Amino acid sequence: MTQPMEKTEKQPIQEEEIKTTETVKHFGEDCDFHGIKRILRTDYQVWRRVLWLIFFLLGLGFLAYEITQAFQSYFAYGHITKLDVLYSNSITFPAVTICNLNNFRLSSLTEKDLLHFGDNLGIFLNGTKTISHPDYYNATWINWVNNINWTAVAANDTHQDDFDVAQFYKRAGHQVEDMLLLCSWRGGVCNSTDFKLEHTHLGNCFTFNHDHNNRLYTRNAGTEAGVKLYLNVEQKEYLTHDNSADAGFKILIHDQKDPPFVKELGFGVAPNYHYFVALKRQEITNLPPPYGICKSGALKHYDHYTVPGCRIECELETVVNKCGCRLVEMPGNDTVCPGNKYLDCALPALEDVEHSDRCICQNPCELHEYNHQSTFVDLRQNTLDKVHKTNSHLTKDEIKENLVILSIYFDRLNYETIEQLPAYTILNLFSDIGGNMGLFIGASFLTVLHLIEFLTMKIIPAKQSHQSKVSQSARKAVKVQVAPNSD
């Protein structure tokens, strides 16, 4: 009784297995996998089917290797740099910041200024009231200093600790009305009202074309399409100390969004020369992580992230944390350090951070730069005479000793774009995977969908049904074997 029953129960299972085999065979004949068709063909000899199986497995191996390489290339996050030169009918003119290499004017210093800052400015020797370099100053000024009653000045200075450093910097620094002798923009007249006062470590600096919401544009190339400045160095106002700079100006050409960081950037110009500064604009786009290292967005005191802005804010934070106040040239609403604190705390704190690696800033993701090429020629007498006619308050000798002419312009109406691009994108990844699938196993995206459909709709349900029937058959067999023992 038992054997016929087992045979009857096994028959549906065997039929299920045969049905699954036929399904796989039908899929092999219908699919686009080139090797699979030949492996499952029943009219092929065994050795031919085995040979095609070997070829198919080799193709799968090469495909797996190429896919691995493709993923490694994608997750390496490499980049390429695209350089292009574009032409335009007009180009944004940069901001031009001008700083005299001398911080403070000799004639503007008062007795209280010398009392508080005379030692710091290097005017006096080692804390005394003896002038350090008397040979470089005029006799009238030397006599004035030597006749100062320092005891009386100190007694009358009732606010020693509250000395207004900000007011001192603004008043004692060079003034744009004295610095600017003549100015022209694209052949028209400009004047001191077109310049904005900027406090920097060089004292009072002045920026032309400073407003990034109302920028100037030039529509032609050449010197007449730019800005031309006649500047007065004012050497008679120079202070002399052991670390004093030479006579001239520091010029910084920058985007309006960048604060003037003349402490580390810019180039110098000397008196008695005409400088021709030809510009070329660059627009640089860097990739953020994971492809590169750059930052974007706003800073605390600036609308756009820039390296100079980041450095300035880092230095500001260091000085404020240590001293509770800031330097004149630093942004923000913190109070400017008063005299003694300015000299004893703020300046040493700034010097410490400048000589450390504390303020390391990343490159911005978007950057506009103005590269320049500078040449210069000597000034002729007729140029000096022309300037003297409109500035009669200066002697011809003073003009010759102090005049700097600066022509800033674009030599051609084009600009460069430098853009970082991903070297291997997700599209490249899928393209390489699809290409290698077609090359090695003759498959495509739709072929893979066909395989997924076959597995989910045919094989997996058939496997589950087969396992269910085997389990049921096993349970019935156990019941049949247990039944005779009950008699």
Side-chain angles (χ1 to χ4, degrees):
M1 293 292 294
T2 304
Q3 290 180 351
M5 185 179 295
E6 289 179 355
K7 184 176 181 180
T8 303
E9 292 171 351
K10 287 183 178 180
Q11 187 173 0
I13 299 175
Q14 292 174 349
E15 291 177 353
E16 188 77 25
E17 292 176 348
I18 294 172
K19 184 178 180 181
T20 302
T21 302
E22 291 295 327
T23 302
V24 172
K25 179 181 176 183
H26 177 71
F27 169 77
E29 294 174 349
D30 186 51
C31 76
D32 294 329
F33 289 103
H34 299 324
I36 296 293
K37 289 181 178 181
R38 286 160 177 76
I39 294 171
L40 298 178
R41 288 187 62 168
T42 56
D43 59 333
Y44 271 26
Q45 295 177 330
V46 174
W47 68 268
R48 291 182 65 184
R49 296 169 66 183
V50 171
L51 186 62
W52 274 106
L53 176 61
I54 294 173
F55 289 155
F56 183 74
L57 293 177
L58 285 174
L60 282 179
F62 281 117
L63 175 62
Y65 173 79
E66 291 296 332
I67 290 177
T68 302
Q69 293 294 107
F71 275 101
Q72 288 178 352
S73 298
Y74 178 75
F75 288 108
Y77 298 117
H79 69 265
I80 58 175
T81 301
K82 176 186 176 183
L83 174 63
D84 199 3
V85 177
L86 303 177
Y87 292 83
S88 176
N89 293 327
S90 64
I91 298 182
T92 305
F93 202 79
V96 180
T97 298
I98 305 167
C99 306
N100 201 306
L101 294 176
N102 179 64
N103 295 53
F104 304 105
R105 296 173 296 154
L106 188 71
S107 63
S108 66
L109 299 177
T110 66
E111 295 174 347
K112 288 186 178 181
D113 295 339
L114 294 177
L115 178 66
H116 290 282
F117 273 81
D119 294 340
N120 178 261
L121 297 177
I123 295 175
F124 299 129
L125 286 173
N126 300 325
T128 68
K129 292 300 180 281
T130 303
I131 298 176
S132 59
H133 299 280
D135 296 340
Y136 293 97
Y137 298 109
N138 62 75
T140 303
W141 189 82
I142 293 175
N143 290 333
W144 172 72
V145 173
N146 290 334
N147 291 326
I148 294 175
N149 186 338
W150 295 108
T151 303
V153 173
N156 293 329
D157 186 22
T158 57
H159 301 285
Q160 281 190 355
D161 294 337
D162 297 329
F163 181 75
D164 193 340
V165 179
Q167 189 272 340
F168 164 68
Y169 266 70
K170 186 175 182 179
R171 169 180 52 82
H174 289 267
Q175 305 299 311
V176 66
E177 294 82 6
D178 300 325
M179 175 194 75
L180 188 65
L181 302 179
L182 291 172
C183 175
S184 67
W185 161 249
R186 293 175 57 184
V189 177
C190 50
N191 54 49
S192 58
T193 60
D194 296 308
F195 290 77
K196 177 188 177 184
L197 172 64
E198 299 277 2
H199 292 298
T200 73
H201 84 294
L202 288 177
N204 291 346
C205 296
F206 304 95
T207 302
F208 174 77
N209 190 28
H210 59 87
D211 188 359
H212 69 85
N213 292 320
N214 190 25
R215 305 181 187 188
L216 297 177
Y217 291 82
T218 182
R219 292 176 174 81
N220 294 291
T223 57
E224 297 303 317
V227 64
K228 190 174 185 179
L229 306 172
Y230 293 74
L231 306 175
N232 181 14
V233 175
E234 297 183 275
Q235 290 196 59
K236 67 179 182 180
E237 298 284 6
Y238 271 48
L239 305 181
T240 302
H241 50 85
D242 293 336
N243 297 320
S244 58
D246 295 324
F249 293 100
K250 189 80 173 287
I251 309 297
L252 178 61
I253 299 172
H254 57 99
D255 189 78
Q256 285 79 4
K257 297 177 183 178
D258 296 353
F261 201 52
V262 293
K263 177 165 53 178
E264 296 183 2
L265 305 174
F267 61 95
V269 295
N272 206 28
Y273 293 103
H274 184 172
Y275 290 84
F276 296 87
V277 183
L279 303 177
K280 180 176 285 293
R281 177 181 168 92
Q282 280 188 338
E283 297 182 359
I284 302 172
T285 303
N286 297 312
L287 285 174
Y291 293 97
I293 302 176
C294 71
K295 292 188 68 174
S296 60
L299 293 169
K300 184 177 181 180
H301 300 287
Y302 301 102
D303 294 335
H304 301 274
Y305 176 87
T306 61
V307 172
C310 171
R311 288 285 304 276
I312 291 171
E313 289 197 352
C314 177
E315 293 175 354
L316 168 66
E317 182 180 0
T318 302
V319 173
V320 171
N321 288 341
K322 185 173 182 180
C323 307
C325 52
R326 63 179 175 89
L327 294 168
V328 175
E329 64 264 27
M330 293 178 171
N333 297 322
D334 298 287
T335 57
V336 177
C337 296
N340 292 341
K341 208 170 188 180
Y342 202 94
L343 298 175
D344 298 335
C345 181
L347 288 178
L350 177 62
E351 187 175 353
D352 288 343
V353 74
E354 287 177 342
H355 291 88
S356 71
D357 295 331
R358 196 176 309 163
C359 293
I360 303 297
C361 295
Q362 298 177 1
N363 287 326
C365 294
E366 291 188 2
L367 175 65
H368 295 166
E369 287 188 342
Y370 293 88
N371 297 327
H372 70 273
Q373 184 175 4
S374 178
T375 57
F376 61 91
V377 295
D378 291 330
L379 297 179
R380 294 182 62 192
Q381 187 60 45
N382 64 327
T383 302
L384 302 176
D385 294 340
K386 172 188 173 183
V387 176
H388 182 257
K389 288 180 181 179
T390 55
N391 295 274
S392 56
H393 62 285
L394 299 173
T395 66
K396 290 185 177 181
D397 288 339
E398 286 178 328
I399 292 176
K400 182 176 181 180
E401 182 183 1
N402 294 283
L403 180 61
V404 176
I405 301 179
L406 195 62
S407 295
I408 303 174
Y409 58 96
F410 287 99
D411 59 354
R412 53 179 62 92
L413 288 181
N414 62 28
Y415 60 96
E416 290 182 348
T417 60
I418 302 175
E419 184 179 7
Q420 289 184 349
L421 299 171
Y424 200 80
T425 65
I426 191 70
L427 181 61
N428 297 131
L429 176 65
F430 287 151
S431 297
D432 284 349
I433 292 176
N436 285 309
M437 286 175 58
L439 176 64
F440 291 113
I441 60 175
S444 66
F445 176 72
L446 295 180
T447 308
V448 174
L449 291 181
H450 186 191
L451 175 62
I452 294 173
E453 179 194 37
F454 172 71
L455 292 175
T456 55
M457 303 298 292
K458 298 292 185 180
I459 298 301
I460 295 177
K463 185 69 174 177
Q464 292 174 346
S465 175
H466 175 73
Q467 290 177 347
S468 176
K469 291 180 179 180
V470 169
S471 299
Q472 292 177 0
S473 176
R475 286 195 296 269
K476 290 181 179 180
V478 170
K479 289 181 180 180
V480 170
Q481 290 176 358
V482 171
N485 297 331
S486 60
D487 290 337

